[in-house]
Amino acid sequence: MRFQTLGRIALFLAMLVLVACHNKEETAAMPGGDTPEAAVQQSVTLIKSGDFAGFWKHALPPADYANLRTDWPHQRPDQRPITDEDRARFTLAIQQLTAPNAETALYDQLKPKLVQMDQQYHDQLPVMIGIGQAILTTGIAQNKALTENQKQQARDALNVLLPWAQQTPWFDQDKAKQAVGVVVVTTRQLDLKSPDQLQNMDFDTAMKAYSTAYGGIKQLLAIYGLSVDDTLDSVKVTTVGIDHHQAHVKVDYTLLGKPLSTDSQLLLVDGRWYSQDLINSERAQHEQLLHPAPAPSSTAPAPAASAPAPASSTSTASTLPVKP
C-alpha cells in the first residue's frame, strides 16, 4: 500500500466532508461526470457510502485509474522500512483490541485515566486546543502546495471546528465507552495481522480496509457530535464558469450548522469531467515511481594530479518532477 495515497484521500475527504450530494446519480459504469456538477456529486455519493474503489474509478480517467491500480503495491523510494520494533508495537495493540471482552478490559483501563485527565486538563483544554489551532493556521499559511483561496477555505473550516473541539466533552465516561466499543469492533473487522500486511495490500483489499476504517471514524465523530453524513447532505454545487476543457465549481455546504463554501477545478478528458487536483496528484505519484529522484551522491574523490580532467568538460543532469 502506498501510504502517500492515504494523504491524498484524506485531503479529498476533507473537501468532501464539506460537501454533499443532491441524490443525482451517474451511471456507475461511467467514470467521471457528464457535467462538472455531476462529477462532484457522484464523488460525494461514493464517499458517503464508503465505496472507495468506486470513488477512484469514478474520480480518475481510465488510464490514470489503471496506473493507480498498477502502482498501488509499490513503495515510495523514500518510504521508511518497517522495523521489528514497529511490528512488536503493532502486534501488542492488535492483541489488546481484539482480545475476548476487549471492550470491557480497555474501558476499565481508560476510565481512571479519563477521571485524572478531566481533573488536570478540564479548564486547560480549550486553551490547548486554541494553541493547536494557531499551529495549524501557521502550517496552512506556510503550505506552498495550497493556493491563497484554498488556504482561506481551510482557515474558515478550522474556525468552525475549533469551537466544536473546545466544547466537546472529550472526557465523558459514557461517550468514551461507546468510542472504545467502536474502535474494538472496527479493528476486529479489519482483521489485520501485521504492519507488513497493511503495507502490502493490493488495491482492492486496501479499498475494503479503507471502507471499514472510514465507517468506524464516522461513528466516532458522531459520538462526539460531528455528523459527516449531515455535512455530506448539505451540498449545493454550482458551476462558476467553463473555459475550454476546464471548469471552476463552487461548493456551498454546512459544517456544524455554519454555512461555508469551497472551490474545485475540474478537467474535461474524453468528454467526461474529473477533479484536476486528483489527476495532477496521481500523475505526479506515477512519475515519481517511474523515475525516482536520485539519492544524494557523496563527494567524489579528487582526480589524480597526473590526470586532470579537461578544463572544457561539463556534466549535465536531468531534473525529474517529484511530488513534495
Side-chain angles (χ1 to χ4, degrees):
M1 179 191 302
R2 292 186 300 152
F3 285 111
Q4 72 275 19
T5 306
L6 285 169
R8 289 173 11 210
I9 289 180
L11 176 62
F12 199 73
L13 275 174
M15 187 275 287
L16 290 179
V17 163
L18 311 178
V19 298
C21 164
H22 281 293
N23 297 321
K24 178 181 178 182
E25 296 187 358
E26 290 280 306
T27 302
M30 291 291 290
D34 57 5
T35 66
E37 297 99 321
V40 175
Q41 290 172 343
Q42 179 65 2
S43 290
V44 178
T45 299
L46 293 165
I47 290 294
K48 182 180 176 183
S49 66
D51 183 1
F52 290 100
F55 165 77
W56 283 115
K57 188 173 184 179
H58 163 78
L60 292 172
D64 295 293
Y65 174 68
N67 287 338
L68 174 68
R69 291 183 61 90
T70 301
D71 294 344
W72 189 268
H74 300 289
Q75 297 182 13
R76 281 180 52 170
D78 60 349
Q79 187 167 312
R80 185 179 69 85
I82 298 173
T83 65
D84 289 340
E85 185 179 356
D86 294 331
R87 294 183 179 93
R89 286 198 300 262
F90 186 93
T91 299
L92 177 61
I94 293 297
Q95 288 175 346
Q96 292 177 334
L97 287 165
T98 58
N101 205 28
E103 297 92 331
T104 301
L106 290 173
Y107 178 66
D108 287 344
Q109 295 177 30
L110 180 61
K111 187 174 180 179
K113 295 179 182 178
L114 287 173
V115 174
Q116 181 182 359
M117 288 189 293
D118 191 22
Q119 293 173 346
Q120 291 181 343
Y121 302 116
H122 180 80
D123 295 331
Q124 301 177 35
L125 189 60
V127 176
M128 295 168 63
I129 293 174
I131 294 173
Q133 182 194 25
I135 295 173
L136 289 173
T137 301
T138 300
I140 292 170
Q142 296 176 349
N143 191 321
K144 297 180 180 179
L146 297 177
T147 66
E148 287 304 317
N149 189 37
Q150 290 170 334
K151 290 178 181 179
Q152 185 57 51
Q153 292 166 4
R155 285 191 290 265
D156 290 343
L158 192 60
N159 288 337
V160 173
L161 291 170
L162 176 65
W164 165 74
Q166 289 178 322
Q167 298 168 14
T168 296
W170 298 110
F171 306 127
D172 182 88
Q173 300 277 344
D174 291 336
K175 293 183 183 300
K177 188 173 184 179
Q178 294 177 57
V180 168
V182 169
V183 172
V184 169
V185 170
T186 303
T187 304
R188 288 172 175 161
Q189 291 173 341
L190 287 169
D191 194 27
L192 298 173
K193 307 300 183 184
S194 71
D196 303 87
Q197 175 195 359
L198 182 64
Q199 188 177 68
N200 296 323
M201 284 179 179
D202 60 33
F203 178 83
D204 293 323
T205 304
M207 294 303 103
K208 291 177 182 177
Y210 284 5
S211 179
T212 298
Y214 175 64
I217 290 170
K218 287 209 298 184
Q219 291 180 63
L220 287 174
L221 291 174
I223 288 171
Y224 291 99
L226 198 165
S227 171
V228 174
D229 286 346
D230 283 353
T231 301
L232 293 174
D233 286 336
S234 68
V235 74
K236 180 179 180 182
V237 184
T238 306
T239 298
V240 177
I242 298 178
D243 184 7
H244 295 91
H245 292 162
Q246 292 183 309
H248 175 200
V249 171
K250 181 173 180 281
V251 182
D252 295 300
Y253 61 93
T254 301
L255 178 63
L256 292 167
K258 303 293 184 181
L260 296 173
S261 66
T262 187
D263 294 279
S264 182
Q265 303 297 323
L266 288 95
L267 187 66
L268 185 65
V269 179
D270 296 331
R272 305 290 290 175
W273 290 97
Y274 303 90
S275 165
Q276 187 163 12
D277 286 342
L278 288 181
I279 291 175
N280 293 344
S281 178
E282 170 52 32
R283 290 177 180 176
Q285 295 292 343
H286 182 64
E287 181 66 20
Q288 185 184 38
L289 286 175
L290 289 178
H291 305 290
S297 59
S298 58
T299 304
S306 58
S312 60
S313 296
T314 60
S315 62
T316 60
S318 61
T319 303
L320 298 173
V322 178
K323 183 181 178 183

